[in-house]
Each structure stands twice: as structure tokens, then as C-alpha cells.
Amino acid sequence: RMTRAALFAAMRFSDHPRALVRGIDATLALRQRGVHRVLTAADVPGERYVGLIVRDWPVLVAVGEETRCVGDVLAVVVADDPLSARRAAAAIDVDYEVRPPITTPEEALRPDAPRIHPQGNLLGRSVVRHGDVEAAFAASAHVVEDTYETQRIEHMFLEPEACLAVPGARASDGALTLRVFSQGQGVFDDQRQIASVLGWSPDRVQVELVSTGGAFGGKEDLSIQAQTALAAALCGRPVKCTLTRPESFRLHPKRHPMKLHLKLGCDRDGRLTALRARLLGDTGAYASVGAKVLERAAGHATGPYRVPCVDIESIAVYTNNPPSGAMRGFGVNQAAFAVESLLNRLAARVGLDGWEIRWRNALEQGDRFCTGQILHKPIGLKKTLLAVRDAYRGAKYAGIACGIKNVGIGNGMPDLGKALLTVDAPDRVTIRTGFTEMGQGLFTVCIQVACAETGLPPERFAATTDTAADLACGQTTASRGTTLAAAAVREAARRLRADLDAGRSLADLVGRRYRGDFACTDTTKLGADVPNPKTHLTYGYATQVVILDDQGRLARVVAAHDVGRAVNPTLLEGQIQGAIHMGLGYALTEELVVEGGRVRSTTVNSLGVLRAEHMPEVEVILIEEPEPETAYGVRGVGEIGLVPTAAAVAGALESFDGVHRRRLPMKDSPLSLIHI
């Protein structure tokens, strides 16, 4: 029993954002009481570099290599208890040659800038162009142009990164196996990457989701799973690792800070004519999904409006700052803040209010979106505008903004939904899916669908996610969980229902497995040279109004969202309420401060997250315009909930004091009286 007792791991992080590691001396650490082993890059038997798209992120930085950020892991200590592991990690002596960090994208793009990665400092470029923009601007009655900046944001999920890896029974060939309990947003990506680090075949690693205590995109990338699994494999004992909050802040990717330069034109009636946009994103030390974030920002830069001529370019640039990656909204929040702000300025030029200029330009069925996709299916955007019109026009100080957000990854990538229903006992059916429950209620929706299709009561079902069955369907991201999982569970449940309708009971069906699959495989890459591109499966639409009182304080938010079909209205409203809380903080108070590549925000209190007492009244209005291509007509709302919020806050503040604010968070506003 003692030999199987769990050990605990702690990480030794880099002291510098950029430095050559000349030596790692673990002598003092190994002398510490209770220490079993210190792991370094030399102990990695397989691939040392991991990544969801680009393999550029080392799980352990080797001697002779340069660190790229303060989240780099140099060594892992394995000990009898967490305190001993942390003390020993602090005792590891690292010999550095400290080098100046590159901390801005502009600096990183200079021809003489040191290369953060061998391929250079430009991670990715996305371009959307159609129509003659110059001619359209020349013919426009009004043209406005400006630069906007958004800040770096921490996800602040409640549960910091944690992992447990347990050596299992040896395979038939005598090879060791591992069972890994992960809090990641994609257990199949975890399995693939952990196996590559160990140099094993993936079937030797089983990853099981422990329902995650919040994620918002911050747990898509591997954090500590590979190092924990490596420690368990080499020590032959279960190993658990949990990060402290400051460690979490420095390790996982954040929301991209961006600079957005936009030029927007309209005719004398306020109808948009052209947009030029140049977007620059600081993607930090590693790729993560940063190129896709800037791609999504480019593909949504017009907002949910008809713009005949566009010239959009976005780039993601490596720096020595902490990585930037997926966070709720995935680049669209930043683009929305800029384009909605310029739209307000055009409205003033034309003599329209904020509602009317949006109504005149709002996308309708049959219109062509920014990416070139013709929106053949019903769109509820104008219904959301109608739902908030009276609230906006009836308020003394109010701001309004619309939002659009893709549902599904799209852009030429398959969107898959997979589910497996297993009858485990006469009174129990297990629902397995490849998607992640991270507090959004996905498992509840899966059980709802199974109940609706089979007629069985909810207590018969349990939902889980693991790699035991081939259900790989990508990360739980892009507002795709409910949309794709519901379709797959529906198909599987209908197969079970067919057997039940044939007169068989669950007792008769014990051991039977029912699979369901959904696939959208006809999307095209951004900028694809095809007549009618389809960049995404579908989109969500929203309009939000932020109302201030006579002192310029938050009084009320009205949020109208086209959700397609409300499968669970309570969960939906919770999603939108939570998103608005994040959006208000994004607009007014939140920022993860990084100076010289070092994270200065080290406590939850220092992030500027709005407390409950700062939340205004929020009215959520659900518009149901069913989506014909999805199960039950659903549209995901996980991300769009805060796409319009910051812009609506900016508009409300401008209506109050006449100041057009160009940078988030807007700490120079009357709402800076909010003390966190």
C-alpha cells in the first residue's frame, strides 16, 4: 500500500522571460526531505515540444536553450507532499545568461529583432478582401478612422490547473499504461500530446475528464498534464500536481491584447460602404491558437453588418510575454469594440441614433457576410434589435452594440459531434461524448436530449467524457459543445429508442452500445477563392444595451440574443448573465498587468474582476430563430454573450460625458469610481 501512495509534483518556473539556460543544479533540491526525484528536459523520452496547432511549446526547457516567457517550466520536483515539493523546487539553482525580452509586437517585427522561434516572430497573417475599398471611400458621404487598443485579460476560472496521473495495469505486451485525470478542454488532445511526450502509443494513455471548474478557453492547451504524467510514469506511482494561483497566471494563455486601426465609410443615409482594418495581436511566447484568434478577429471585423467592400488584415506576433490564446469571444470581442465605436461616430455624422444606424445595416437572410459567406438561413439579428429598442430610446444615458459570433470552428476544419450511449445496468445508461463539461451545463443538456428522445427519466442517465471510446471531436470551444453534442446524442438516443419501441427493456439491452455522429465538413478557409464560401456552420446574433443612471453609474443591461432554440432557458440565461459580468469587467476594470515580460498581477484581487455588488440589473431576452442545420435548431451562446458588451458600455459612457474612449479598460470613466 505504501508503494502506491500518491506523490506530489511542483514546477520550477523560469525566473526570466528571456534568458539562456546555462545550467540546472538540483543538488540542494534532492537533499530535501521527502523528495523522490527531480525531472528535467533530459528525462523526456519522447517529443519535448507540444502544441494544439504548432508544436513550439516545450514541456521542459533544456540546458542550452533560451526561455521564452516566465511560464516556462525548467524542472519538476516529485515529493511525498506538496509543501516538500514546492520547497525543493525553490531550492533548484539555475544558471542564466539573461537577455533583453521582446515585449511588444512592433519590436518583434523589426528586421533586426532576435528570433523568438526559429521560423521568426510572425505567427500568422489573415486577409479578407473584396470590392474596391478606395473607390468606395472616395464615394462615401462620411468616413471615420481611428485606432483602438484592448488589454490582456486573465480567465480567472475558479479551479486552477490540476492533474492526477495513475500508473495502470501493464498492457498485454508488458508495457506500462497510465490513467490521467485532466481538467483540460479536450481530453483527446491531452491523450495525443501526453503520449507523444512519453514516446508511447496513444492507447497506453487513458484520459478522463474531471468536470472542470471553469475554463473559458484557458484550459485548451496542455498545462501540467504532460509533466505530471511523465513523473508518474518514471516514478511508477500516482502523482498529483495543482498550481497555485500566481503559477496559473504565468502559465496558461490569456486574452490577446490588440491594436486595431479601422477606417469605416457610409453613404448619406448611414448605409455602410467600406471598411479597412489592420489588426495586430500580441500572441506571446507560444502559438497556442493565436493565429486562429486573429483569423477570427479578421473574419468578424465588420460586425453583423452589410459592408460591400472590405480590406482586412490581421497578424499574430510572438513576444516574450505570457502566451495569448483562446478566451471567450476568441478575438471577436476586440474587433467588436473597434467597429461598434466607429459606427457610433458615423451615426452622429449622419444624424441617426445608435439604434437606427444598426437597423439600416443589420444582416438579413440572403446577405453576404464579411468573409464572403451568403447567409442563406434565417437570422434573428433584427429581432434582437427590436427587442431592445424601447429600452435604448427610453434611457437618458445608454449605449447599444450588436454582435455576431461563429458557432463551430469552421474555416475548412471539420465540426464533429460524437456520442456513445452504453446500457450499463437495467437502471443505468452512460452517455459518453468527446466534449467537456466545464460548468456550462453540457452534461445536463446531453441528458435532456437523451430523455426527450428515449422517454426514459433523467435518473437513468449519467454523462461523462473520457478517451475509452473513439469519440474525438476536437476542443470544447467556438460555442460548439451544445450544438454538436446535442446532434450526436440525439442520433444515439434514437437508436436506443428504436430498440425500446420494439418491446425490449433496458434489462434486455445491458451491454448494448448506441453511437451517434454529426459532421459539418463543407466549410472553407478564410479567403478561399471560391464563388460562395461557407466559413462557418452557423452564427449567433445579439444586441445589448447598457444604461447608466444620472451619476454615470451602471444601472441596467438589456441583452437580446438569437439562440436558435432554447433547450434549457435557465442554463442559457446563466451563460449570458455570466458573460455580461465578464464583458463589463473587460470594459471597465479588468487587466492582467505584464511589465517587461513579467506578470505583475499576482492575486485575484489585483485583476480588477467586478464583484457581485457592482453588477447592475440584467434583463436577458431570448430570441428563437431556429437554425435549420442543427439539432432542434440550436445556436451556441457560450462566446457571443460578451461580444457586444464593452462597445455598449463605451457608447453609454460617451452619451454621459461626451468622451470617445479608445482603450480598454476604460479606467478614466465615471465608472472608475468602482473600487475593486
Side-chain angles (χ1 to χ4, degrees):
R1 180 177 300 175
M2 288 298 292
T3 60
R4 298 297 296 169
L7 301 175
F8 295 84
M11 308 292 170
R12 175 65 162 90
F13 289 95
S14 174
D15 299 285
H16 306 282
R18 180 171 176 249
L20 177 68
V21 179
R22 296 192 296 202
I24 300 174
D25 185 354
T27 304
L28 291 178
L30 288 166
R31 290 176 183 170
Q32 300 282 327
R33 183 177 179 179
V35 172
H36 288 252
R37 189 159 182 171
V38 176
L39 308 178
T40 64
D43 294 299
V44 177
E47 297 286 338
R48 195 159 47 86
Y49 280 76
V50 298
L52 290 174
I53 300 173
V54 180
R55 287 192 174 193
D56 64 353
W57 198 332
V59 296
L60 286 157
V61 175
V63 172
E65 289 184 342
E66 194 174 86
T67 65
R68 298 181 177 91
C69 69
V70 294
D72 278 337
V73 179
L74 305 183
V76 180
V77 175
V78 187
D80 285 331
D81 60 84
L83 183 58
S84 297
R86 292 193 179 283
R87 284 175 173 168
I92 295 173
D93 183 46
V94 183
D95 180 20
Y96 299 100
E97 179 187 302
V98 179
R99 296 172 175 175
I102 301 169
T103 58
T104 68
E106 292 87 350
E107 181 185 0
L109 290 174
R110 291 175 184 166
D112 60 344
R115 291 191 168 203
I116 297 171
H117 290 276
Q119 69 273 25
N121 297 341
L122 177 63
L123 171 61
R125 184 188 306 271
S126 299
V127 176
V128 183
R129 291 192 177 101
H130 51 82
D132 188 335
V133 169
E134 288 303 325
F137 281 135
S140 297
H142 305 282
V143 176
V144 291
E145 185 173 9
D146 218 327
T147 300
Y148 297 85
E149 293 185 50
T150 65
Q151 75 280 39
R152 181 178 287 102
I153 290 283
E154 156 65 28
H155 299 74
M156 233 335 281
F157 32 71
L158 289 179
E159 177 199 30
E161 291 83 350
C163 181
L164 171 65
V166 182
R170 292 189 176 271
S172 57
D173 61 357
L176 186 69
T177 61
L178 270 184
R179 189 177 184 191
V180 179
F181 297 88
S182 172
Q183 40 69 80
Q185 286 182 239
V187 294
F188 288 92
D189 283 323
D190 290 356
Q191 178 192 44
R192 170 181 56 83
Q193 294 178 98
I194 292 168
S196 75
V197 170
L198 296 174
W200 293 4
S201 60
D203 62 324
R204 290 173 60 187
V205 180
Q206 181 180 344
V207 182
E208 182 175 334
L209 171 73
V210 179
S211 291
T212 304
F216 310 114
K219 294 177 180 175
E220 289 188 17
D221 303 84
L222 274 190
S223 56
I224 56 175
Q225 296 97 316
Q227 297 94 334
T228 308
L230 176 64
L234 294 180
C235 294
R237 299 264 294 272
V239 175
K240 181 180 180 182
C241 184
T242 303
L243 295 186
T244 65
R245 189 65 73 178
E247 290 172 342
S248 174
F249 286 175
R250 69 198 293 172
L251 178 61
H252 70 258
K254 308 293 180 274
R255 187 189 300 286
H256 280 75
M258 288 191 199
K259 290 185 178 178
L260 309 96
H261 186 84
L262 273 64
K263 183 177 181 180
L264 186 65
C266 71
D267 64 18
R268 60 174 47 87
D269 295 319
R271 290 181 172 82
L272 297 175
T273 54
L275 171 74
R276 175 181 287 116
R278 296 294 181 265
L279 317 179
L280 177 64
D282 179 352
T283 211
Y286 299 109
S288 180
V289 291
K292 294 298 179 183
V293 171
L294 270 296
E295 178 184 78
R296 207 68 78 245
H300 290 69
T302 61
Y305 307 113
R306 290 183 301 274
V307 185
C309 302
V310 301
D311 175 4
I312 302 165
E313 183 176 312
S314 68
I315 57 176
V317 182
Y318 287 117
T319 66
N320 289 122
N321 292 319
S324 300
M327 188 175 178
R328 196 177 200 176
F330 208 83
V332 181
N333 312 37
Q334 295 94 318
F337 172 60
V339 73
E340 293 285 328
S341 296
L342 282 185
L343 197 60
N344 289 337
R345 291 173 62 180
L346 283 179
R349 295 271 188 95
V350 177
L352 303 175
D353 70 3
W355 188 92
E356 183 61 35
I357 196 167
R358 287 166 174 82
W359 178 262
R360 293 186 184 188
N361 291 286
L363 289 168
E364 298 181 82
Q365 187 171 359
D367 284 338
R368 191 179 292 273
F369 183 45
C370 168
T371 64
Q373 179 173 354
I374 297 176
L375 303 173
H376 296 290
K377 296 176 287 187
I379 295 171
L381 178 60
K382 282 202 160 183
K383 290 182 179 179
T384 69
L385 274 162
L386 288 172
V388 304
R389 180 179 57 188
D390 292 346
Y392 172 71
R393 288 182 167 168
K396 185 176 180 181
Y397 304 116
I400 186 171
C402 296
I404 182 171
K405 179 68 179 70
N406 59 288
V407 176
I409 296 172
N411 287 120
M413 298 289 290
D415 276 305
L416 307 177
K418 299 182 181 181
L420 185 71
L421 271 58
T422 305
V423 184
D424 292 320
D427 62 348
R428 188 175 69 254
V429 179
T430 299
I431 304 170
R432 280 186 169 83
T433 174
F435 293 110
T436 300
E437 172 58 67
M438 48 187 161
Q440 82 277 41
L442 175 72
F443 284 175
T444 300
V445 168
C446 289
I447 292 171
Q448 278 187 264
V449 171
C451 291
E453 295 297 336
T454 64
L456 296 172
E459 56 267 23
R460 293 287 183 270
F461 295 96
T464 189
T465 297
D466 58 37
T467 59
D470 177 20
L471 299 173
C473 45
Q475 294 274 331
T476 306
T477 185
S479 305
R480 65 202 293 265
T482 292
T483 302
L484 302 182
V489 173
R490 180 176 69 169
E491 182 180 342
R494 285 177 174 177
R495 291 177 175 175
L496 170 57
R497 178 61 182 262
D499 279 352
L500 294 173
D501 286 346
R504 305 179 72 182
S505 67
L506 284 182
D508 299 327
L509 300 172
V510 171
R512 290 289 299 271
R513 293 151 61 96
Y514 301 88
R515 187 178 177 101
D517 291 273
F518 173 85
C520 173
T521 58
D522 61 344
T523 63
T524 53
K525 292 183 179 181
L526 188 71
D529 187 15
V530 296
N532 292 301
K534 177 183 178 181
T535 38
H536 292 289
L537 165 65
T538 188
Y539 298 86
Y541 304 91
T543 306
Q544 294 182 1
V545 169
V546 171
I547 298 170
L548 307 182
D549 65 16
D550 287 346
Q551 286 73 47
R553 296 172 302 196
L554 290 171
R556 186 177 171 217
V557 178
V558 183
H561 284 253
D562 173 13
V563 301
R565 172 87 180 276
V567 174
N568 188 313
T570 301
L571 287 177
L572 265 175
E573 183 166 350
Q575 280 272 43
I576 296 169
Q577 292 261 6
I580 289 169
H581 172 269
M582 293 179 78
L584 292 173
Y586 183 47
L588 296 168
T589 55
E590 285 194 48
E591 184 168 15
L592 182 84
V593 178
V594 175
E595 296 174 349
R598 300 178 185 276
V599 179
R600 300 303 186 193
S601 304
T602 58
T603 65
V604 172
N605 219 29
S606 66
L607 298 175
V609 177
L610 289 178
R611 295 176 178 172
E613 65 188 281
H614 302 129
M615 277 295 288
E617 173 194 348
V618 177
E619 179 185 356
V620 176
I621 302 171
L622 301 181
I623 303 298
E624 295 187 275
E625 188 69 65
E627 160 59 50
E629 204 172 342
T630 65
Y632 312 112
V634 300
R635 304 179 194 268
V637 299
E639 296 183 282
I640 195 173
L642 74 157
V643 167
T645 312
V649 173
L653 286 169
E654 189 167 2
S655 75
F656 179 78
D657 62 11
V659 178
H660 187 77
R661 294 173 173 85
R662 299 167 177 83
R663 190 187 187 283
L664 299 181
M666 296 177 283
K667 291 184 177 180
D668 63 334
S669 75
L671 293 174
S672 65
L673 297 175
I674 293 175
H675 295 294
I676 304 301

